[in-house]
mmCIF file of all heavy atoms in Angstrom:
data_model
loop_
_atom_site.group_PDB
_atom_site.id
_atom_site.type_symbol
_atom_site.label_atom_id
_atom_site.label_comp_id
_atom_site.label_asym_id
_atom_site.label_seq_id
_atom_site.Cartn_x
_atom_site.Cartn_y
_atom_site.Cartn_z
ATOM 1 N N ARG A 699 75.337 102.270 68.715
ATOM 2 C CA ARG A 699 74.982 103.303 69.601
ATOM 3 C C ARG A 699 74.268 104.437 68.993
ATOM 4 O O ARG A 699 73.377 105.069 69.571
ATOM 5 C CB ARG A 699 76.076 103.749 70.503
ATOM 6 C CG ARG A 699 76.643 102.731 71.451
ATOM 7 C CD ARG A 699 77.558 103.393 72.414
ATOM 8 N NE ARG A 699 78.726 104.019 71.827
ATOM 9 C CZ ARG A 699 79.903 103.261 71.560
ATOM 10 N NH1 ARG A 699 79.979 102.070 71.910
ATOM 11 N NH2 ARG A 699 80.949 103.918 70.989
ATOM 12 N N HIS A 700 74.620 104.719 67.638
ATOM 13 C CA HIS A 700 74.044 105.795 66.979
ATOM 14 C C HIS A 700 72.830 105.439 66.102
ATOM 15 O O HIS A 700 72.435 106.242 65.200
ATOM 16 C CB HIS A 700 75.147 106.538 66.137
ATOM 17 C CG HIS A 700 76.160 107.151 67.022
ATOM 18 N ND1 HIS A 700 77.440 107.003 66.728
ATOM 19 C CD2 HIS A 700 76.143 107.879 68.140
ATOM 20 C CE1 HIS A 700 78.268 107.590 67.647
ATOM 21 N NE2 HIS A 700 77.449 108.173 68.502
ATOM 22 N N GLY A 701 72.429 104.163 66.239
ATOM 23 C CA GLY A 701 71.220 103.750 65.533
ATOM 24 C C GLY A 701 71.367 103.252 64.139
ATOM 25 O O GLY A 701 70.437 103.010 63.336
ATOM 26 N N ASP A 702 72.621 103.224 63.643
ATOM 27 C CA ASP A 702 72.988 102.745 62.244
ATOM 28 C C ASP A 702 73.279 101.230 62.246
ATOM 29 O O ASP A 702 74.362 100.785 62.265
ATOM 30 C CB ASP A 702 74.129 103.572 61.734
ATOM 31 C CG ASP A 702 74.324 103.412 60.242
ATOM 32 O OD1 ASP A 702 73.688 102.437 59.658
ATOM 33 O OD2 ASP A 702 75.130 104.078 59.661
ATOM 34 N N LEU A 703 72.140 100.467 62.320
ATOM 35 C CA LEU A 703 72.213 98.984 62.433
ATOM 36 C C LEU A 703 72.859 98.332 61.184
ATOM 37 O O LEU A 703 73.582 97.394 61.288
ATOM 38 C CB LEU A 703 70.871 98.421 62.707
ATOM 39 C CG LEU A 703 70.194 98.864 64.059
ATOM 40 C CD1 LEU A 703 68.865 98.139 64.237
ATOM 41 C CD2 LEU A 703 71.144 98.643 65.152
ATOM 42 N N ALA A 704 72.589 99.013 60.003
ATOM 43 C CA ALA A 704 73.122 98.413 58.791
ATOM 44 C C ALA A 704 74.608 98.545 58.702
ATOM 45 O O ALA A 704 75.403 97.556 58.410
ATOM 46 C CB ALA A 704 72.599 99.163 57.559
ATOM 47 N N ALA A 705 75.211 99.729 59.201
ATOM 48 C CA ALA A 705 76.707 99.799 59.253
ATOM 49 C C ALA A 705 77.295 98.942 60.355
ATOM 50 O O ALA A 705 78.267 98.290 60.007
ATOM 51 C CB ALA A 705 77.014 101.305 59.609
ATOM 52 N N MET A 706 76.618 98.764 61.459
ATOM 53 C CA MET A 706 77.088 97.836 62.435
ATOM 54 C C MET A 706 77.116 96.404 61.854
ATOM 55 O O MET A 706 78.182 95.736 62.008
ATOM 56 C CB MET A 706 76.119 97.826 63.685
ATOM 57 C CG MET A 706 76.520 96.875 64.664
ATOM 58 S SD MET A 706 75.231 96.234 65.792
ATOM 59 C CE MET A 706 74.546 95.100 64.662
ATOM 60 N N GLU A 707 76.070 95.988 61.135
ATOM 61 C CA GLU A 707 76.030 94.588 60.715
ATOM 62 C C GLU A 707 77.135 94.421 59.584
ATOM 63 O O GLU A 707 77.868 93.343 59.516
ATOM 64 C CB GLU A 707 74.683 94.281 60.144
ATOM 65 C CG GLU A 707 74.613 92.719 59.616
ATOM 66 C CD GLU A 707 73.270 92.306 59.489
ATOM 67 O OE1 GLU A 707 72.237 93.047 59.626
ATOM 68 O OE2 GLU A 707 73.055 91.167 58.922
ATOM 69 N N ARG A 708 77.404 95.424 58.809
ATOM 70 C CA ARG A 708 78.361 95.317 57.759
ATOM 71 C C ARG A 708 79.700 94.983 58.411
ATOM 72 O O ARG A 708 80.575 94.087 57.937
ATOM 73 C CB ARG A 708 78.474 96.525 56.898
ATOM 74 C CG ARG A 708 77.472 96.678 55.764
ATOM 75 C CD ARG A 708 77.804 97.707 54.782
ATOM 76 N NE ARG A 708 78.038 98.964 55.411
ATOM 77 C CZ ARG A 708 77.082 99.925 55.606
ATOM 78 N NH1 ARG A 708 75.819 99.582 55.286
ATOM 79 N NH2 ARG A 708 77.458 101.159 56.099
ATOM 80 N N ASP A 709 80.157 95.737 59.442
ATOM 81 C CA ASP A 709 81.428 95.599 59.986
ATOM 82 C C ASP A 709 81.602 94.284 60.842
ATOM 83 O O ASP A 709 82.544 93.581 60.757
ATOM 84 C CB ASP A 709 81.651 96.821 60.966
ATOM 85 C CG ASP A 709 82.401 97.974 60.315
ATOM 86 O OD1 ASP A 709 83.111 97.707 59.319
ATOM 87 O OD2 ASP A 709 82.245 99.057 60.862
ATOM 88 N N LEU A 710 80.430 93.887 61.448
ATOM 89 C CA LEU A 710 80.498 92.538 62.168
ATOM 90 C C LEU A 710 80.589 91.507 61.220
ATOM 91 O O LEU A 710 81.244 90.460 61.387
ATOM 92 C CB LEU A 710 79.207 92.417 63.059
ATOM 93 C CG LEU A 710 79.245 93.394 64.236
ATOM 94 C CD1 LEU A 710 77.940 93.127 65.061
ATOM 95 C CD2 LEU A 710 80.509 93.167 65.224
ATOM 96 N N ARG A 711 79.850 91.514 60.004
ATOM 97 C CA ARG A 711 79.922 90.478 59.057
ATOM 98 C C ARG A 711 81.388 90.352 58.515
ATOM 99 O O ARG A 711 81.894 89.256 58.193
ATOM 100 C CB ARG A 711 78.926 90.773 57.907
ATOM 101 C CG ARG A 711 77.537 90.590 58.270
ATOM 102 C CD ARG A 711 77.105 89.146 58.461
ATOM 103 N NE ARG A 711 75.665 89.013 58.746
ATOM 104 C CZ ARG A 711 75.125 87.872 59.136
ATOM 105 N NH1 ARG A 711 75.865 86.829 59.342
ATOM 106 N NH2 ARG A 711 73.772 87.917 59.387
#
Side-chain angles (χ1 to χ4, degrees):
R699 289 194 298 273
H700 297 133
D702 191 346
L703 299 183
M706 180 208 74
E707 184 167 356
R708 279 196 305 272
D709 271 334
L710 291 179
R711 291 287 183 192

